[in-house]
Amino acid sequence: MERDLCQQVADARPFVLADRAVWGNGTGARVLSALGPLDDSRQHLLTAGEGIKSIDAWRGVVEWMQDAGMRRHDVLVIVGGGSLTDLGGFAAATYLRGVPYINVPTTILSQADAAIGGKTAINSPAAKNALGAFHHPVGVVTDVTLLETLERRDVSAGLAECIKVSAAQRSGALFAYLTEHAELLLAKDGPSLMDVIGAAVEEKLRLLADDPFETDLARVLNFGHSVGHALESADQYRNWRHGEAVAIGMATAARTSALLGISDRETCRAFLRLLTRYGLPLSVPDALIDAVVEHLDGIRRVRGGKLRYVLPRTVGELVVLDEVDTEVLVRAMRERAAA
């Protein structure tokens, strides 16, 4: 990591935005060995988590950038998981009308998904990622050794995003790899993680190539995210990791697809088995279903009355429907059978 980060920063003056816990576990020392000594004014540490994607946190970051004297051609180095790269990327997009930034992702979710693609955002009380911008990083420095301290729950949640991407890969190779190497991946085996994260990034970039600024909202990369985002908003970002919410969204979509006859039951079972193998949740809690439906209605309003719901036809083929009947969605959310 150190050499790659040094090369990415080059002659720019770096400012570091980092997750406090990550910075203190040895990662901070590695970053500083690449960047050289930085006085405290050019380091800003935050306690990360989905709740950090707020207007108040964004304001704090841009005020720090301004107070520390960051200039337009300096570079922001963001060290942390997906919530921090989302927040930091949005701060970089809006400060001085856009400054360069480099992501050093430290979770599987951020290495495989969140730090890639240039989508930056914070949440509003009404919706996840309601305020954001497309602002691509000038570099992403990925090192699987940074994942060694992750808790099992965060490993599973991060791999949910890899499962999401595998559902769109026509060859089915990534889905098969995730199926066959679950024990190694959950044990944070470095070579296995490199294989999966590399394949997920390659597939995501392929899917983004024709539409990097998401002018077409009917995107297969939103698989699991309609219900997943609605669940996170309904729960006020308290109890679910993002990957767990997406897993519930994928399970709901797989069941919906089978209920509508778009896929067969075996395709549905294949997704549910894989999600179960990684210890991921599969159903929306009964107490939150009404709130999830309300937030889905909010998504419809934002999208001109269309939900644009992504469903699996088979492993490797996803389809997008403009709309799905709410009663069908609720039935799929309520189902508790694992496979």
Side-chain angles (χ1 to χ4, degrees), residues 158-230:
L159 290 167
E161 286 286 354
C162 297
I163 294 171
K164 176 203 76 174
V165 174
S166 78
Q169 187 186 47
R170 289 188 290 265
S171 70
L174 180 54
F175 193 94
Y177 192 98
L178 286 159
T179 300
E180 295 164 8
H181 294 79
E183 290 184 8
L184 284 171
L185 289 164
L186 288 170
K188 296 179 285 189
D189 175 69
S192 301
L193 287 170
M194 288 176 63
D195 287 344
V196 161
I197 291 169
V201 169
E202 182 178 353
E203 181 63 17
K204 178 172 181 175
L205 292 176
R206 182 187 73 80
L207 292 167
L208 290 174
D210 293 337
D211 187 17
F213 297 103
E214 202 170 278
T215 55
D216 180 5
L217 292 176
R219 300 170 68 94
V220 296
L221 278 172
N222 287 329
F223 178 45
H225 280 64
S226 294
V227 166
H229 282 177

Side-chain angles (χ1 to χ4, degrees), residues 9 28-29 33 36 61 66 71 75 109 135 150 156 161 169 177 183 202 218 227 232 242 252 262 275 279 287 310 326:
V9 171
S33 73
V61 172
Q66 184 173 38
R71 301 168 302 203
V75 62
L109 187 148
H135 187 51
L150 288 181
S156 294
E161 286 286 354
Q169 187 186 47
Y177 192 98
E183 290 184 8
E202 182 178 353
V227 166
E232 289 179 282
H242 175 65
T252 302
I262 292 170
L275 293 168
V310 184
T326 297

Side-chain angles (χ1 to χ4, degrees), residues 313-334:
R313 188 188 301 278
T314 62
V315 174
E317 184 183 359
L318 298 173
V319 299
V320 183
L321 302 188
D322 277 348
E323 189 52 84
V324 176
D325 184 77
T326 297
E327 289 186 9
V328 175
L329 283 176
V330 169
R331 182 178 168 188
M333 286 184 220
R334 288 190 188 279

Side-chain angles (χ1 to χ4, degrees), residues 223 247-265 267-269 271-273 275-276 280-284 309-312 324 328-339:
F223 178 45
I248 291 172
M250 288 189 286
T252 302
R255 291 174 176 137
T256 300
S257 187
L259 288 170
L260 294 175
I262 292 170
S263 70
D264 56 31
R265 292 300 302 184
T267 295
C268 177
R269 284 191 288 266
F271 280 103
L272 298 182
R273 281 195 299 265
L275 293 168
T276 300
L280 291 160
L282 304 178
S283 303
V284 176
Y309 196 62
V310 184
L311 300 174
V324 176
V328 175
L329 283 176
V330 169
R331 182 178 168 188
M333 286 184 220
R334 288 190 188 279
E335 190 171 329
R336 296 291 181 261

